[in-house]
Amino acid sequence: MKRIVFNDSLLQSQFDDIGYVKIPFLDEAEVEELLSFYHHNESGLGGGYHSSMFSKSSDFRVKTHRQISKIIKDKVARVLDKHKIVICTYLVKDPGNMSRVGLHCDWSLTDESQYQSIILWIPLCDVHHDNGAMYMLDGSHRDTNSIRGEGIEVPYDKIPDEFVLQNMTLVPVKKGDAVIFDLSVLHCSFPNETLHPRIAFNVGLIPEEAPSLHYYIDEQTAQGKYDIYKAEGDFYFKNTIGIRPPQSAYLESKDFRFDGLSPQELMEKYTKENV
Ligand SMILES: O=C(O)CCC(=O)C(=O)O
């Protein structure tokens, strides 16, 4: 059995059941401080959907991480049972059709055969379907693949919108409230159809005692394997997504096995009349 995530047993049982919870988190002043930081620091990104994790400026990535961590860390310690912050990033949906986020699970941040990787996702404005609230597939953390990472295909993005709209849960969120989810829950969000950017941020977390890992595949990876890098300290700030991390962080390569349901099996299992 995996170790507990939440200090509160009711939250833990909801999290175990559907893979996520929604709770009040930031106060008004903290929301304003994070918005002001975002507006006063240049990420070099814009248009559609953009995450500060993809900023070419390592300085911006570090500053963002430090600013968000400073504001959330005490609350994280109250809500979660001894977890450490791996990376904090802004997630912005500019108005328009290019801001869709397809159906996916997030990268594993540690060895998920032993620990859970989780995300805290907090919007800095109220969110609903029209400006990019998330849809979650309740319980899907039990059925998706556990080895996820850079260059590793998550095959669920071809699942049609009708399936999402009919079988997944829309999670509207008030500004400053948090959705905390297991990274293996399937989720997505539709384009921002309003006139205002939707600014949110997320924070990746793992248990304090868990190793921080980055899984990676590219054409240099041996056939049928995936490469594992140690992602401690400033790994996500010194290295750029899309470029193989340095040899100094390399740990080992293992056989890759897709251990989740196929998209077809998943749709059959989670179509409401079959649940
Ligand atoms: O910000 C969004 O709309 C999607 C967020 C997301 O997919 C994530 O945090 O993994």
Side-chain angles (χ1 to χ4, degrees), residues 92-149:
V92 179
K93 259 181 200 277
D94 283 321
N97 214 19
M98 301 301 287
S99 64
R100 175 195 187 83
V101 179
L103 200 51
H104 69 287
C105 309
D106 291 320
W107 296 346
S108 330
L109 297 174
T110 189
D111 174 359
E112 292 189 358
S113 66
Q114 295 194 55
Y115 307 101
Q116 275 168 294
S117 331
I118 62 167
I119 277 273
L120 184 110
W121 182 90
I122 301 185
L124 299 173
C125 58
D126 294 352
V127 291
H128 40 86
H129 170 92
D130 289 354
N131 68 347
M134 282 192 287
Y135 282 76
M136 317 288 283
L137 189 59
D138 296 8
S140 55
H141 55 309
R142 288 187 282 272
D143 290 314
T144 55
N145 55 318
S146 60
I147 298 160
R148 307 174 312 278

Side-chain angles (χ1 to χ4, degrees), residues 7-252:
N7 290 325
D8 179 297
S9 59
L10 278 177
L11 289 180
Q12 181 69 42
S13 101
Q14 189 189 353
F15 183 77
D16 289 341
D17 188 26
I18 60 172
Y20 62 94
V21 299
K22 182 168 81 167
I23 54 169
F25 207 85
L26 298 182
D27 63 30
E28 187 71 37
E30 291 163 334
V31 167
E32 286 310 316
E33 191 175 340
L34 285 170
L35 276 175
S36 165
F37 178 89
Y38 179 77
H39 289 303
H40 289 97
N41 287 277
E42 183 46 60
S43 69
L45 301 163
Y49 179 70
H50 46 101
S51 156
S52 54
M53 194 171 173
F54 291 87
S55 170
K56 294 213 168 29
S57 160
S58 151
D59 183 50
F60 179 78
R61 296 202 303 270
V62 176
K63 276 199 300 195
T64 297
H65 175 82
R66 290 204 181 124
Q67 173 69 18
I68 297 174
S69 300
K70 183 186 85 179
I71 290 185
I72 61 157
K73 68 177 187 332
D74 292 346
K75 287 186 187 170
V76 162
R78 283 201 287 280
V79 174
L80 301 179
D81 179 52
K82 298 187 199 66
H83 277 64
K84 60 185 173 193
I85 296 172
V86 176
I87 181 164
C88 307
T89 56
Y90 281 99
L91 301 171
V92 179
K93 259 181 200 277
D94 283 321
N97 214 19
M98 301 301 287
S99 64
R100 175 195 187 83
V101 179
L103 200 51
H104 69 287
C105 309
D106 291 320
W107 296 346
S108 330
L109 297 174
T110 189
D111 174 359
E112 292 189 358
S113 66
Q114 295 194 55
Y115 307 101
Q116 275 168 294
S117 331
I118 62 167
I119 277 273
L120 184 110
W121 182 90
I122 301 185
L124 299 173
C125 58
D126 294 352
V127 291
H128 40 86
H129 170 92
D130 289 354
N131 68 347
M134 282 192 287
Y135 282 76
M136 317 288 283
L137 189 59
D138 296 8
S140 55
H141 55 309
R142 288 187 282 272
D143 290 314
T144 55
N145 55 318
S146 60
I147 298 160
R148 307 174 312 278
E150 200 174 344
I152 302 178
E153 193 198 352
V154 181
Y156 302 115
D157 59 349
K158 308 279 181 309
I159 288 179
D161 286 353
E162 294 73 57
F163 175 85
V164 174
L165 294 167
Q166 285 163 19
N167 301 291
M168 291 179 58
T169 304
L170 171 65
V171 186
V173 186
K174 292 252 165 267
K175 75 173 165 186
D177 287 359
V179 182
I180 303 179
F181 58 100
D182 184 309
L183 287 182
S184 56
V185 172
L186 266 176
H187 58 282
C188 65
S189 56
F190 284 88
N192 179 1
E193 291 168 10
T194 67
L195 298 174
H196 308 286
R198 188 226 66 191
I199 301 169
F201 68 89
N202 76 6
V203 179
L205 298 126
I206 55 176
E208 263 172 26
E209 69 280 16
S212 177
L213 302 174
H214 184 67
Y215 297 158
Y216 185 91
I217 292 183
D218 68 9
E219 63 289 344
Q220 290 172 42
T221 306
Q223 194 65 32
K225 303 268 185 189
Y226 66 105
D227 301 321
I228 306 177
Y229 288 88
K230 188 173 168 197
E232 303 289 351
D234 54 7
F235 179 90
Y236 287 105
F237 312 121
K238 274 184 39 199
N239 302 303
T240 305
I241 303 296
I243 298 175
R244 176 175 277 269
Q247 189 61 20
S248 55
Y250 174 76
L251 288 174
E252 60 178 325

